Amino acid sequence: MAEQMVKFMVNGRSYEIPIEPHMTLVEVLRDKLDITGTKLSCGAGECGACTVLIDGKPALSCLTLAMTAREKSILTIEGLAEGGNLHPIQKAFIEHGAIQCGFCTPGMILATKALLDENPNPNREEVKKALAGNLCRCTGYVKIVDAVLAAAEEMGKGGS
Ligand code: FES
Ligand code: FES
């Protein structure tokens, strides 16, 4: 099918590129823009590894047609650190051992960002609920939830 020019922002940078209508957002990010922090795992909406934020809301980029991101603002894991400093959520994941193979981590961290933007002080159950769509084969989840709670506390002290 014919490509169409689509304009959107990724991590604060504007792109205008030709996209075939069937291409998913994760394909465009990884294969056309070489922004490979977003992971493609199940490709079927079941694992959350491909989670990005579109206009601040979590979205499964394996199920999102790239065309639908037209004129929108996309945040991937590459856009989270600022000025060479890791985001407090990234730091908390490292400090709490919430990363093992790391394949789920970009999606987990972006789902966490969406949660904390909306609810800066979640309890353990709210964290579990917010991350229920993000699967991790390695950590057993306890450390991930601990990391999210620690990040919330740190950010509540005036971090970003
Ligand atoms: S790769 Fe998108 S939900 Fe699994
Ligand atoms: S750290 Fe390996 S899947 Fe989560």
Side-chain angles (χ1 to χ4, degrees):
M1 242 186 280
E3 293 181 328
Q4 293 180 29
M5 293 304 288
V6 177
K7 196 172 167 188
F8 47 63
M9 304 271 286
V10 183
N11 301 331
R13 182 173 160 192
S14 180
Y15 293 87
E16 187 164 12
I17 55 167
I19 291 177
E20 292 170 38
H22 64 81
M23 288 193 87
T24 61
L25 183 56
V26 68
E27 289 174 320
V28 169
L29 289 170
R30 293 182 57 87
D31 302 339
K32 282 198 168 252
L33 302 181
D34 204 25
I35 299 174
T36 56
T38 305
K39 301 304 174 204
L40 177 59
S41 183
C42 71
E46 288 171 7
C47 74
C50 64
T51 303
V52 298
L53 302 191
I54 301 179
D55 287 347
K57 302 275 180 232
L60 297 174
S61 60
C62 74
L63 293 186
T64 303
L65 286 174
M67 309 276 298
T68 65
R70 190 189 294 270
E71 302 293 343
K72 296 197 171 159
S73 180
I74 298 152
L75 181 70
T76 74
I77 193 69
E78 288 92 343
L80 218 49
E82 275 181 11
N85 294 316
L86 290 180
H87 189 280
I89 299 171
Q90 293 172 303
K91 286 187 192 160
F93 268 61
I94 294 168
E95 283 162 11
H96 287 77
I99 304 173
Q100 287 187 26
C101 80
F103 210 79
C104 69
T105 307
M108 284 284 183
I109 286 179
L110 287 166
T112 298
K113 174 147 184 12
L115 167 67
L116 298 186
D117 284 348
E118 203 174 293
N119 177 4
N121 192 20
N123 61 34
R124 186 166 278 272
E125 284 314 305
E126 288 168 330
V127 173
K128 283 189 195 169
K129 197 170 162 203
L131 298 184
N134 292 74
L135 305 186
C136 176
R137 294 178 177 204
C138 307
T139 63
Y141 299 102
V142 173
K143 291 176 176 179
I144 290 175
V145 176
D146 288 347
V148 175
L149 293 170
E153 198 180 324
E154 188 59 33
M155 290 162 73
K157 288 180 196 163
S160 55

